[in-house]
């Protein structure tokens, strides 16, 4: 198999990673703005559940576990014969937006603060529970 395919797969993982980060951050802003504007759609259960997955990242940061997407990207980079975080232009561009140099405690603090904000929105702006869950209780 052509080793370039692994470089492209690594770039795809970076794009997914960046999309997730942006989803969490933009989602948090939209939930807070929507709370003030009384938008109903921000209470959609599945949207909020997906948004809550940032808690997993915060827990991983606290226990020192690297994100599985980062591991997957590095795996593909090695298969492509690349040193971590180098590759195509698109991959490099996306990586420069997603990865930056800072002490580990900065990331732990950032993940924790975002997770606290997200949990706070669950109290301030509770999601609408699906009908099946409502009737089962």
């Amino acid at each position: 198999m052509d080793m370039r395919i692994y470089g492209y797969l690594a770039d795809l993982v970076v794009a997914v990673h960046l999309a997730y980060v942006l989803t969490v951050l933009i989602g948090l802003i939209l939930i807070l703005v929507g709370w003030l504007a009384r938008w109903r759609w921000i209470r959609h259960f599945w949207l909020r559940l997906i948004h809550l997955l940032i808690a997993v990242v915060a827990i991983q940061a606290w226990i020192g576990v690297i994100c599985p997407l980062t591991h997957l990207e590095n795996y593909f980079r090695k298969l492509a014969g690349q040193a971590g975080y180098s590759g195509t232009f698109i991959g490099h561009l996306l990586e420069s937006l997603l990865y930056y140099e800072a002490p580990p405690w900065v990331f732990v603090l950032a993940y924790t603060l975002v997770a606290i904000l997200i949990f706070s929105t669950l109290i301030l702006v509770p999601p609408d529970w699906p009908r099946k869950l409502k009737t089962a209780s």
Side-chain angles (χ1 to χ4, degrees), residues 6-69:
Y6 296 115
Y8 296 132
L9 288 171
D11 292 346
L12 178 63
V13 171
V14 173
V16 168
H17 205 168
L18 182 61
Y20 177 69
V21 169
L22 291 174
T23 298
V24 168
L25 295 176
I26 293 169
L28 180 58
I29 292 166
L30 288 174
I31 289 167
L32 292 171
V33 169
W35 173 50
L36 296 172
R38 300 191 189 283
W39 296 338
R40 291 290 310 154
W41 66 268
I42 61 162
R43 295 181 183 269
H44 191 275
F45 177 77
W46 298 110
L47 170 72
R48 300 295 293 282
L49 183 64
I50 290 168
H51 194 241
L52 188 60
L53 291 176
I54 189 63
V56 173
V57 176
I59 292 167
Q60 287 176 329
W62 275 98
I63 62 175
V65 174
I66 295 174
C67 177
L69 290 173

Side-chain angles (χ1 to χ4, degrees), residues 3-15 69-95 99:
M3 287 180 39
R4 289 181 297 177
I5 190 72
Y6 296 115
Y8 296 132
L9 288 171
D11 292 346
L12 178 63
V13 171
V14 173
L69 290 173
T70 302
H71 278 300
L72 184 60
E73 179 199 351
N74 285 330
Y75 172 74
F76 285 137
R77 295 258 179 247
K78 286 179 186 174
L79 290 176
Q82 299 173 354
Y85 308 134
S86 64
T88 67
F89 172 74
I90 297 296
H92 179 70
L93 177 65
L94 292 174
E95 287 165 6
Y99 302 111

